Amino acid sequence: MTRNQPETSMTIHSRAHPAIKTLLALAAAAALAAPARADVLDDVKAHGVLKCGVTLAAPGFSAEDNAGKRDGFDVDLCRAIAAATLGDASKIQLVPMDLKTAFAGLPTGAVDVLTHRFTWTQSRDVGGLKFPKVMFYDGQGFAVTKKTRANKVADLNNATICTAQGSTSELIVADYFRAHKMKYKIVTFASQEQAWDAFVAKRCDAAINDRSALAARLTKLSNKDDFKVLAETLSNEPIGPIVAQGQPRWEAVVRFTLNALVAAEELGVNQANVEAQRSSQSPDVQRLLGVTGDFGSKLGLANDYAYNAIKAVGNYGDVWDRNVGPKTPLRLERGRNALVANGGLMMAIPVR
């Protein structure tokens, strides 16, 4: 398929992506230029609020409802961390950010943590961004207009593709099309939201993003039946919260707050029964909820930090079902995000 190209388009060839390198360089430069934060946990406690960078608009993950309230999977993780650190899930400040501002905002202290939907990659990990733990296993795919008659990725030869500048999608597209000797044109935008809007406006034949994000965006279209997500998954995308490098205690706080939600599901502790579970005779449950041991104090938190987080948002399964599960507009099955015991990849680090 062919079409006239917008002036903003550019063809990506079989070489390293300067946009990705530039964003990583900007993040590294920001980390060097910004004064080092002595301790993020101390800052959060002193200010009495947790600042979370969230995606601009991804239904099910971070989006505003009709009343202007922002909720979703990423927001719930922010609330859980606030409950664990401050004892109050409401003490949060949500900062909607695109990819460029999100990466630059961490080292400067504009936000304390990104609960944004970014993929854990080697380049990002060694470039000043630290991923405490995977919160969501995803994969990249394509949304297309049904008028293109594309039923598989092979049908996108000579297609125009919309995506965000500096995203991992650029590299994935280049690798896939080069490997399959296919031609394409790519149009990049400052954010995934702008790329999606251009796709919906028929400026591109296809849009690439995490498949869950594509499904989320389709739910908001009045003409959603004019579009579809192709069945193929082009990549593995382990997604998780991000903190700035050089903050091992804060990294551990974020890691073990998320870990507590997964451990709670493994142990049958949820938002509805967490209060009663404090009387459980299970040593694992007692340690998780801070009834025994000093696992919280070793993080600089109260020993019942996990109890507070679970009471605020529930366990990992509760968060999933409430935001993206089968009874939501996204209707996502757990798949790889199921517990290991149920055939998935999600597993908690033992609390002991």
Side-chain angles (χ1 to χ4, degrees):
M1 62 186 66
T2 59
R3 68 173 58 196
N4 294 329
Q5 292 302 101
E7 293 180 359
T8 56
S9 67
M10 65 180 188
T11 303
I12 292 188
H13 305 285
S14 58
R15 60 175 181 266
H17 293 267
I20 295 176
K21 290 182 177 179
T22 299
L23 282 176
L24 290 171
L26 286 172
L32 291 172
R37 300 178 71 180
D39 188 276
V40 175
L41 179 58
D42 286 344
D43 284 352
V44 171
K45 289 181 177 180
H47 296 149
V49 66
L50 175 71
K51 295 177 292 184
C52 296
V54 296
T55 189
L56 298 171
F61 297 95
S62 172
E64 291 185 349
D65 60 21
N66 293 332
K69 178 185 177 184
R70 187 173 290 273
D71 55 20
F73 202 111
D74 303 353
V75 177
D76 274 352
L77 178 56
C78 181
R79 295 177 63 239
I81 299 169
T85 56
L86 300 171
D88 188 340
S90 69
K91 292 183 177 180
I92 60 173
Q93 178 183 343
L94 301 176
V95 185
M97 303 173 116
D98 61 23
L99 184 148
K100 184 175 180 179
T101 57
F103 286 175
L106 264 181
T108 66
V111 292
D112 304 309
V113 58
L114 295 175
T115 56
H116 212 312
R117 295 185 46 69
F118 291 131
T119 303
W120 190 347
T121 67
Q122 178 176 325
S123 297
R124 289 171 177 172
D125 192 277
V126 301
L129 305 173
K130 294 302 177 183
F131 292 74
K133 184 175 173 64
V134 175
M135 64 182 285
F136 196 98
Y137 291 95
D138 211 336
Q140 295 255 312
F142 286 105
V144 299
T145 61
K146 290 186 178 178
K147 287 185 178 180
T148 64
R149 298 183 180 179
N151 294 309
K152 55 187 182 297
V153 178
D155 296 331
L156 294 179
N157 191 36
N158 291 317
T160 301
I161 301 168
C162 283
T163 191
Q165 184 179 21
S167 67
T168 56
S169 301
E170 287 189 80
L171 182 61
I172 290 166
V173 168
D175 287 348
Y176 184 91
F177 278 71
R178 182 174 61 249
H180 291 81
K181 296 181 173 57
M182 296 167 59
K183 296 180 179 180
Y184 70 101
K185 301 286 186 180
I186 196 155
V187 189
T188 60
F189 299 84
S191 69
Q192 290 288 4
E193 286 69 29
Q194 292 178 18
W196 180 256
D197 289 344
F199 165 66
V200 173
K202 311 294 177 64
R203 292 180 61 185
C204 307
D205 300 306
I208 183 171
N209 203 343
D210 295 333
R211 286 174 51 81
S212 63
L214 295 174
R217 296 185 192 283
L218 283 178
T219 66
K220 291 295 184 180
L221 298 182
S222 59
N223 60 336
K224 57 180 175 291
D225 291 338
D226 294 341
F227 304 87
K228 65 180 179 180
V229 178
L230 298 182
E232 295 158 274
T233 299
L234 275 68
S235 66
N236 291 319
E237 305 293 323
I239 293 167
I242 311 175
V243 299
Q245 67 177 354
Q247 294 289 337
R249 185 167 74 145
W250 180 238
E251 183 179 348
V253 166
V254 174
R255 175 183 301 115
F256 285 103
T257 299
L258 175 54
N259 189 71
L261 306 186
V262 178
E265 185 178 13
E266 290 180 339
L267 296 170
V269 180
N270 56 42
Q271 192 172 29
N273 69 16
V274 65
E275 192 68 43
Q277 287 286 350
R278 298 178 90 174
S279 300
S280 170
Q281 297 304 303
S282 165
D284 290 327
V285 173
Q286 289 178 353
R287 287 191 293 268
L288 175 65
L289 300 182
V291 177
T292 60
D294 59 350
F295 299 100
S297 64
K298 291 178 179 178
L299 293 170
L301 305 176
N303 284 328
D304 63 352
Y305 78 96
Y307 161 81
N308 290 330
I310 298 161
K311 186 175 182 180
V313 304
N315 64 32
Y316 184 87
D318 292 332
V319 174
W320 181 281
D321 290 341
R322 180 167 56 248
N323 294 298
V324 301
K327 295 183 180 180
T328 71
L330 271 70
R331 294 179 292 181
L332 296 182
E333 299 294 338
R334 289 286 291 270
R336 290 183 292 181
N337 293 290
L339 297 177
V340 168
N342 297 327
L345 299 176
M346 199 60 64
M347 178 176 62
I349 302 167
V351 181
R352 59 174 182 260

